[in-house]
Amino acid sequence: MQGERRGARGWAADTGLFAFGVFSWLCIAGDRMRLGLPDPAWLFELDQVAGIVGLGLLWVRRRWPTQAAAVAVALSTFSETIAFPLLVLLFAVIVRRPPRTAAWVYAGALAAAGVYAWIRPQELGVLGNLGFAVVLYGAIAGWGMVTRYRRALRERAAEQEREERERARQRAREELARELHDLLGHRLSLLSLHAGAMEYRSDLSPEELASAAGVVREQSHLAMRDLREVIAVLRAPIGELPQPSMADLRALVEEARPGSEIAFASTAEGEAPERSGRTAYRIVQEALTNARKHAEGAPVAVTVSGGPGEGLEVEVANGPGREVDRPAERPGHGLIGLEERTALAGGRLEYGPREDGGWRVRAWLPWTA
């Protein structure tokens, strides 16, 4: 496994550790010469070489922490100048490697401490050297485990933040898809209805043809306008898209009336709050679009009622049309989107076929913002 990269901060930390390691090596070597050389005397020279190797291992611990620690553990069987590099390398293994690997290295360090106490018992004695190593290595292990845990918490928090950002992007994409569906689906269904009439109705009078062509031209212009508005704010938050309200319902129905028989009745007390009114508008818009697509020519009734304390009730019902292919068992994306919108607004949505073969969409929305 490749170790972590050494950035500017890493270089500064490693330089500081190396400098302190050199200081530690010089202090231990000076004390040994002052207190007396070990027996045999050549062990002192070998100890100094081991200390220099340990200083070099500090520079490779990020890339090969386990291998560097294993070498330091082996040298610690006889070397005292390896002490500081060994502690640093043990800490690196505990922090950066799996617990199983760290446990093996830690056990090896304790075994090496026992060998050192047997080879060089003159300082603290066998039990004293071994006990000192257990306490010191235990402190390093505890510190490393705490550091490892804190790193894991930071990484988990960063991962959760990335996941949350991805979920937010996904929600934004889904919201944008719903907005595009709502804005353009209504226009395009009107275009399809009147273009179909112009294509298949050979009995239309010139005035009727001109009227249908005028609706096609107007709806094409409005569709292009809506598309330009969406593109203009495509990189902006969804909340900046043009948002309708319940006050626009009558204009929506009037816009859909050419070529359709639509009855509209509203007994709502005053203007509904923004969120509920916008959701009601989208419900009526999608229901009218579906009525044109799946029940062409059928009469449609749009009813809105309610008020403060009661909530807002919206119902769109159409009779049977010439087509019988209606989304009874497997609702389309539009109805699924309406369910999500209604649930987010705190309301309920019901839809299904009527006894006469028509279709009904009914929703209740709270009278809240």
Side-chain angles (χ1 to χ4, degrees), residues 190-191 194 209-221 255 258-259:
L190 281 174
L191 285 174
H194 290 279
L209 280 174
S211 176
V215 172
V216 169
R217 183 181 67 254
E218 180 184 3
Q219 293 303 317
S220 299
H221 173 74
E255 185 180 274

Side-chain angles (χ1 to χ4, degrees), residues 44 57 79 90 98 130 153 219 259 280 282-283 286 289 295 299 305:
F44 177 76
L57 293 175
S79 172
L90 283 176
L130 189 57
L153 287 181
Q219 293 303 317
R282 294 306 189 193
I283 291 171
E286 177 65 20
T289 300
S305 61

Side-chain angles (χ1 to χ4, degrees), residues 165-204:
R165 285 199 300 266
E166 180 57 32
R167 286 194 291 268
R169 284 193 290 266
Q170 181 62 31
R171 288 194 296 267
R173 287 192 290 264
E174 292 174 355
E175 183 67 16
L176 180 59
R178 283 195 291 265
E179 291 295 332
L180 287 171
H181 177 276
D182 293 338
L183 286 172
L184 299 181
H186 176 70
R187 309 288 188 198
L188 296 179
S189 65
L190 281 174
L191 285 174
S192 176
L193 173 66
H194 290 279
M198 295 170 62
E199 180 179 6
Y200 296 108
R201 293 286 302 278
S202 57
D203 58 335
L204 292 178

Side-chain angles (χ1 to χ4, degrees), residues 315-321 324 326 328 351-362:
E315 180 176 312
V316 181
N318 61 267
V324 295
R326 291 184 299 273
Y351 53 82
R354 302 196 310 178
E355 294 181 357
D356 61 356
W359 187 264
R360 175 168 49 203
V361 176
R362 177 185 295 169

